[in-house]
Amino acid sequence: MAYRDIVTRPVLVWSAVAVAARLPVAMAPLALVFLVRERPGGYTLGAVLAAAYVLGEIVAAPVLGIRLDAERARPHLAVGLAVGALAFTGLGLGLAGTAHPAVLGALAFLAGAGPGAAPGGLRALLTGMVPEKAVTQALSMESVLTFGIWAAAPALATGLALGVGPGVPLLLQGGLMAAAVAGLWALPAGWHVESKGGPGEPMRRVLTRAWPVYVTGAAGLTLLALAELILPALLEQRAIGIGWAGPLLAGFSIGSAVGAFVYGLRSGWPGSLPVQSALLILGVSTGVALVAVLPWAGAIATALVLAGLLQAPAMLSRNLALRQILPPNALAAGYSVMYAAVGAGYAASGTLAGGLLKVVAPSTAILCGVALTLLLTAIGAAGEWRRARLDARAADEGAHDAACPDRSGADSARTAGA
């Protein structure tokens, strides 16, 4: 089994650092809500703080990712994680009871923005630590780890906030990010790159080539937003106990972890990566659409688990597609842009769904979100098809010029003479 190639001490250390860096991110939105819920208008303020945190992530991830030096990434990542640790600690040190909402919002924004390059940088670091043949397995392992973190984070944030104190989750998040900073020195300082881009080619232009991948990545996360944000309202519409929301979403996360593991059992699946991604997103869309129309809790649970099984492979295929399109020196930046894109897709879908819930039933809101997903998928697929045609045409022209050097030289001479 190819997973044996990644069961090494460096990868295990990387996993510990990744947990310390990403668990605070997964806990943040809910922890911020619990932090201020006892203040006047606390839930509204909590939602604003969570939005400020997500905005910080979306804005900073591509900006910081582009500036990341591949071979000396450690100082950059350490500073970002340290900023996040200080911001989380500041939020947890009793400021919620006295500080002005603007101060809390600024700290929440910094908590999201500071570590903005960490997800992409850590992923590039991981793929640089394993053999090329094991990259798929490494990314699958990372996905399993990520879904496990997101499955545990809500329960951890809720239990600490209600059982110990509202600031305790934020203090834990600050401590974990500080531990991640220390853990970076047990990992390589960066990863070796051999640029495939043209000399002097601007990084922004290199990253722009992959825009269809970012669009389909955002499409995949719109479905996750629908499943998480509208499910409680849908259960009420179906006269199903709202307490089922947690177990049902846990089933989605478990299904995703299993799907990521299964995807990593092979280094290559039938079809090109764009085709795989489109088909997988269509499968997830079907599962989420079934959630909107099925009337029984058991049927909804089955649809969510099946959708989860396909969700993780859909995202994995997007990350692998980035590796095909971008040169190695742009991968960390590309992963960071992808992180921002999927965050934007999640936020856009959540905003759309929240607005629709005021005028339509939850089931209709979910179906509208699925339609948005399909539209984004079609746009991304069309962009990838066009890029493939251009690449094929360029390859044909290169082969033709190589086969007819005399004609090429004559054309050059004629142009010079003119």
Side-chain angles (χ1 to χ4, degrees), residues 5-6 13 23 33 53 76 161 163 172 188 210 238 240 248 252 298-299 304 322-324 327 362 366 369 397 406:
D5 294 329
I6 64 171
V13 173
L23 183 56
V33 171
Y53 176 83
H76 189 143
L172 173 63
R238 296 281 186 263
I240 300 171
L248 289 172
F252 182 90
L304 278 174
L322 277 181
R323 290 181 58 83
Q324 287 187 348
I366 289 179
E397 290 176 353
D406 294 339

Side-chain angles (χ1 to χ4, degrees), residues 84-246:
L86 291 173
F88 278 127
T89 302
L91 286 165
L93 286 176
L95 292 176
T98 57
H100 191 277
V103 175
L104 298 178
L107 286 172
F109 182 88
L110 284 175
L122 286 173
R123 179 175 296 137
L125 192 61
L126 172 65
T127 56
M129 293 164 56
V130 301
E132 183 65 27
K133 65 178 182 178
V135 166
T136 298
Q137 287 69 39
L139 292 176
S140 296
M141 180 275 294
E142 180 204 22
S143 186
V144 171
L145 190 68
T146 299
F147 278 105
I149 289 171
W150 281 91
L156 182 59
T158 301
L160 289 175
L162 299 180
V164 184
V168 173
L170 278 303
L171 293 175
L172 173 63
Q173 290 164 254
L176 286 170
M177 279 208 167
V181 173
L184 286 174
W185 268 260
L187 298 175
W191 55 94
H192 179 67
V193 297
E194 295 178 1
S195 176
K196 294 184 297 186
E201 190 173 14
M203 179 67 75
R204 296 180 188 276
R205 184 180 301 171
V206 173
L207 294 174
T208 302
R209 296 176 190 158
W211 71 263
V213 182
Y214 308 139
V215 172
T216 49
L221 259 287
T222 60
L223 295 168
L224 181 58
L226 294 174
E228 289 186 344
L229 301 177
I230 306 184
L231 184 60
L234 178 71
L235 294 178
E236 287 188 343
Q237 179 188 356
R238 296 281 186 263
I240 300 171
I242 197 172
W244 280 100

Side-chain angles (χ1 to χ4, degrees), residues 298-316:
I300 291 174
T302 301
L304 278 174
V305 170
L306 292 176
L309 283 170
L310 302 178
Q311 171 74 18
M315 294 307 300
L316 283 168

Side-chain angles (χ1 to χ4, degrees), residues 343-413:
Y346 187 99
S349 181
T351 302
L352 173 65
L356 288 173
L357 282 176
K358 298 179 181 179
V359 294
V360 300
S363 56
T364 305
I366 289 179
L367 293 176
C368 291
V370 170
L372 172 63
T373 296
L374 296 177
L375 174 62
L376 291 175
T377 303
I379 293 172
E384 291 191 285
W385 177 74
R386 180 176 181 274
R387 181 181 55 78
R389 284 188 60 195
L390 292 176
D391 289 347
R393 183 183 302 171
D396 289 343
E397 290 176 353
H400 179 73
D401 290 343
C404 305
D406 294 339
R407 177 179 177 182
S408 177
D411 290 342
S412 299

Side-chain angles (χ1 to χ4, degrees), residues 12-22 81 122 176 179-184 186-187:
L12 293 176
V13 173
W14 180 94
S15 300
V17 174
V19 169
R22 295 179 181 180
L81 289 169
L122 286 173
L176 286 170
V181 173
L184 286 174
L187 298 175

